[in-house]
Amino acid sequence: MTLQATVSMSWVNTVLDAAARLGVVREQLLAQAGIAPDALQQQRWPIDHITRLWRAAVQATQDAGFGLKAGSQVGPANFNVVGELLQASATLREAIAAVQKFQRLISDGGRLQMVNGERASWLIYHARQGTLAFSPHQVEAVLAAVLAFIGGAMGGGTAGASLGGVRPQQVQFSHARVGPLAGYREVFACPVAFEQAFNGLLLDNALLDAPLPHADRHRARTHQREAAAHLAGLSHGGALVQELRAWMAGALASRVPTRAEAARALGVSERTLARRMRAQGVSFAELLDGVRRDAALQAVAHTARPLADIGQALGFAEPAVFWRAFRRWTGTTPAQWRARHA
């Protein structure tokens, strides 16, 4: 049993900002995704939250190229210390290695792998889904964002034609094409293949090993230490609440999770878990209540399942108990909530 992946709010804001540029306001998008507005106050989101956000954004914008557009607007400045480290690195290959090492500060909903070749190397993205299957737009946004990062490191702007001579040799996706081919060509400016064995960019080794214009060994060491400190904080309790919420959301699909199960998922004793939660001022019951609330709001508003079945699936023994909890969460009954969001 493992904890579900989580993502930073910087990546969440990438989606929200891209939708806003297309006329969809945050509140509308969150409501369509079935996510409470106070979720924006969290430090990290469960991976299923942002998957629902991606799906809602594509539906709300009706833009088949939404993922490409969102990812291509990303730059080093979007990701704070990781972006600073990338720009200060000596070469693009070194910068990518730094992103791989500290990728969790952005998202652990996937990982990057470099497969070296004689003249070119594949940078492959392995997605780590939650209980929900990724939208293909999520994957397209990642590869577009990687190219945008390359542009920032090389002193350019964003991905595609604005980078002058910076081009991948080839791009491929494991899913079928979801948008106009012209959109892929505009972003990547190279051959793009679909329904392949993996998602990745093929990069010329000369590009990967060329000196970066803003390389600064002293700044790179400083940012390495800063990123390592952030990562240590994330690994030793800084994201405990978000990771527990993500794990609870996944477990809730089949049963009501227990504190003993959560402790085993973290690899600690129940006593240690309880101590860590007290240090952060939260309780297991409070977190579980919030996760059940989010799941209930999503299911009631965005599915046609009978309300009693939703309550039973979330572990409420009687419909009346579910009704009382729902009114406590929202001030309305499940039926009123469904009618409001129909």
Side-chain angles (χ1 to χ4, degrees):
M1 187 186 305
T2 57
L3 293 179
Q4 195 182 97
T6 61
V7 299
S8 69
M9 291 308 296
S10 59
W11 191 237
V12 172
N13 286 325
T14 296
V15 185
L16 294 171
D17 292 345
R21 287 192 292 270
L22 294 173
V24 181
V25 299
R26 291 187 169 208
E27 293 77 12
Q28 173 191 345
L29 188 53
L30 289 171
Q32 191 162 336
I35 298 171
D38 61 6
L40 293 178
Q41 306 306 314
Q42 298 175 10
Q43 293 180 349
R44 295 176 71 88
W45 271 16
I47 197 70
D48 282 345
H49 267 39
I50 199 166
T51 297
R52 290 205 299 268
L53 191 70
W54 274 106
R55 293 178 178 182
V58 174
Q59 182 179 7
T61 62
Q62 291 294 296
D63 189 338
F66 180 77
L68 295 175
K69 291 176 182 176
S72 63
Q73 293 298 316
V74 169
N78 289 74
F79 297 110
N80 303 320
V81 67
V82 177
E84 295 285 349
L85 176 56
L86 185 151
Q87 290 184 300
S89 298
T91 65
L92 186 57
R93 194 183 298 276
E94 182 181 295
I96 291 172
V99 173
Q100 289 174 298
K101 181 176 181 179
F102 298 111
Q103 186 176 340
R104 192 177 179 219
L105 295 178
I106 302 170
S107 168
D108 52 12
R111 63 182 180 87
L112 294 171
Q113 176 190 10
M114 183 74 80
V115 178
N116 297 318
E118 184 178 348
R119 296 184 178 180
S121 301
W122 278 104
L123 183 60
I124 300 173
Y125 174 65
H126 301 278
R128 181 189 172 195
Q129 300 176 153
T131 56
L132 300 178
F134 270 9
S135 162
H137 294 272
Q138 287 175 267
V139 177
E140 293 185 357
V142 170
L143 292 196
V146 167
L147 194 56
F149 264 86
I150 291 173
M154 297 295 291
T158 56
S162 61
L163 287 184
V166 179
R167 300 283 189 275
Q169 293 185 357
Q170 184 179 336
V171 176
Q172 66 180 45
F173 296 99
S174 59
H175 58 259
R177 179 166 61 90
V178 295
L181 192 57
Y184 296 94
R185 289 172 176 162
E186 180 181 353
V187 170
F188 299 112
C190 72
V192 181
F194 303 92
E195 299 182 87
Q196 302 299 305
F198 58 84
N199 304 295
L201 305 167
L202 183 62
L203 302 170
D204 192 301
N205 286 340
L207 173 67
L208 289 170
D209 297 321
L212 293 181
H214 303 296
D216 186 319
R217 186 63 62 184
H218 175 72
R219 280 201 307 123
R221 285 196 296 266
T222 299
H223 295 316
Q224 280 264 7
R225 290 193 294 268
E226 185 180 354
H230 283 301
L231 190 61
L234 199 60
S235 300
H236 294 92
L240 176 65
V241 170
Q242 284 71 33
E243 293 195 358
L244 273 174
R245 283 178 57 87
W247 173 80
M248 288 175 177
L252 197 58
S254 59
R255 66 194 182 286
V256 178
T258 67
R259 190 169 69 179
E261 290 177 324
R264 287 196 295 272
L266 283 170
V268 299
S269 68
E270 284 191 67
R271 182 175 298 178
T272 298
L273 176 60
R275 184 175 67 251
R276 290 181 181 177
M277 295 183 74
R278 282 197 302 272
Q280 295 196 31
V282 296
S283 72
F284 188 87
E286 289 171 347
L287 288 184
L288 181 58
D289 185 67
V291 171
R292 292 169 103 184
R293 177 200 64 191
D294 291 349
L297 267 56
Q298 166 74 11
V300 170
H302 300 288
T303 75
R305 293 173 63 189
L307 299 176
D309 288 357
I310 293 173
Q312 185 176 27
L314 293 175
F316 293 95
E318 300 290 340
V321 180
F322 177 51
W323 260 244
R324 286 197 296 272
F326 204 95
R327 183 174 286 279
R328 171 169 57 82
W329 293 328
T330 67
T332 66
T333 68
Q336 290 169 332
W337 184 265
R338 174 168 283 178
R340 181 186 304 173
H341 292 84

